[in-house]
Amino acid sequence: MRVLQASNIYGVGFGIPSISTRPNSSYHRHATIATVPRRKAMALILSSFVLSNYELPKVAYAQSVEFREYIDTFDGYSFMYPRNWIQVRGAGADIFFRDPLVLDENLSVEISSPSSSKYKSVKDLGPPEEAGKGVLKQYLTEFMSTRLGVRRESSVLSTSSRVADDGKLYYDVEVNIKSYANNNELAVMPQDRVARLEWDRRYLSVLGVENNCLYELRIQTPEKVFVQEESDIRAIMNSFRANKIAA
């Protein structure tokens, strides 16, 4: 039986978690109503329609983020996630949440099969650098495209290890993947096939071992959004735990 604990709500400012003193209270934003001339009002309305995808996350994350705790007692893991994120079922992962405003931003948890793997420690993957190469290879395999004119650029940005407060060793891996596509892939002349950037994303993974399984927390976010939300994303990463399943 999976248990979703939503009673603990954490407020985060600059990535530092603190327990809210009113866990069941809702956040209210007060607005001041002022009289605006008609011409200025029309200008404001029109400007609202030309907000770019880059500007939307900045507006959405101008306030501090509240977190909820997700605890899966059946599969043995837990993590914090932004309170406004929604769960998506049937996404293929053990659990999947996404940002309702930034559709390219999500998190998921993958677990290796206990029947086909017998992990004792995350060190079974080798040092963090080797684990990082494996993580990147897996992402590239999943994003392999059969479309003509599609090209991927990728790199491992960082790898590290840490011991969490549960005494377990975890690996943190960050990679960047860019996708380019030709604007006219069927053109005969090379000058007519101009590559354009489709997306530029950061993928962050936390790897841990428990119950003879490899657990991986995955976070996907556009690079331009990562700049705005880095402290919150790292708070999610640091909260991930692989827990012992009760017999």
Side-chain angles (χ1 to χ4, degrees):
M1 174 180 179
R2 294 184 181 178
V3 178
L4 170 59
Q5 283 192 354
S7 58
N8 293 333
I9 302 176
Y10 301 82
V12 173
F14 303 101
I16 303 174
S18 59
I19 298 178
S20 171
T21 56
R22 297 177 63 188
N24 295 321
S25 64
S26 58
Y27 177 79
H28 299 280
R29 181 170 58 186
H30 301 281
T32 302
I33 302 175
T35 303
V36 180
R38 182 177 179 181
R39 181 173 296 180
K40 290 185 178 180
M42 290 302 297
L44 288 173
I45 293 172
L46 289 173
S47 66
S48 68
F49 285 100
V50 296
L51 279 174
S52 67
N53 290 334
Y54 181 73
E55 290 169 325
L56 179 59
K58 289 201 287 187
V59 174
Y61 277 84
Q63 305 156 5
S64 92
V65 175
E66 286 187 341
F67 286 92
R68 283 184 171 178
E69 184 177 21
Y70 182 90
I71 302 177
D72 189 328
T73 57
F74 182 79
D75 290 314
Y77 63 87
S78 61
F79 59 88
M80 310 298 295
Y81 69 97
R83 185 183 183 186
N84 68 316
W85 284 27
I86 58 176
Q87 184 176 348
V88 178
R89 302 185 185 277
D94 196 73
I95 190 70
F96 189 98
F97 286 93
R98 71 171 177 84
D99 188 323
L101 298 177
V102 185
L103 301 184
D104 268 358
E105 188 170 41
N106 56 64
L107 68 81
S108 60
V109 173
E110 302 280 354
I111 310 172
S112 67
S113 171
S115 61
S116 61
S117 61
K118 297 295 181 182
Y119 289 95
K120 298 301 180 184
S121 168
V122 72
K123 290 182 179 180
D124 293 344
L125 300 174
E129 296 78 12
E130 287 300 315
K133 294 177 183 178
V135 168
L136 179 57
K137 182 179 180 181
Q138 181 61 33
Y139 277 125
L140 291 176
T141 300
E142 294 173 7
F143 296 138
M144 190 176 296
S145 175
T146 58
R147 287 186 299 148
L148 294 174
V150 173
R151 175 173 56 88
R152 306 276 198 249
E153 288 185 359
S154 62
S155 62
V156 177
L157 300 178
S158 69
T159 59
S160 61
S161 63
R162 57 184 169 85
V163 177
D165 56 9
D166 60 356
K168 298 186 181 73
L169 181 67
Y170 293 87
Y171 284 175
D172 294 334
V173 177
E174 297 183 34
V175 305
N176 171 266
I177 303 177
K178 296 179 177 67
S179 179
Y180 295 88
N182 292 336
N183 62 343
N184 187 3
E185 65 272 11
L186 299 179
V188 176
M189 302 303 293
Q191 61 268 25
D192 295 329
R193 298 192 300 270
V194 180
R196 58 179 177 81
L197 180 66
E198 286 189 305
W199 45 261
D200 180 9
R201 299 172 185 158
R202 182 168 301 210
Y203 296 90
L204 308 98
S205 291
V206 181
L207 304 167
V209 169
E210 186 57 272
N211 308 305
N212 295 325
C213 295
L214 176 66
Y215 292 78
E216 181 181 7
L217 172 72
R218 293 175 153 202
I219 302 175
Q220 170 187 299
T221 183
E223 280 288 352
K224 60 187 179 183
V225 177
F226 177 77
V227 174
Q228 303 295 324
E229 304 176 13
E230 180 176 359
S231 60
D232 298 327
I233 290 173
R234 298 203 184 282
I236 297 172
M237 294 176 68
N238 291 333
S239 73
F240 183 66
R241 298 290 182 271
N243 305 317
K244 188 72 175 177
I245 298 174

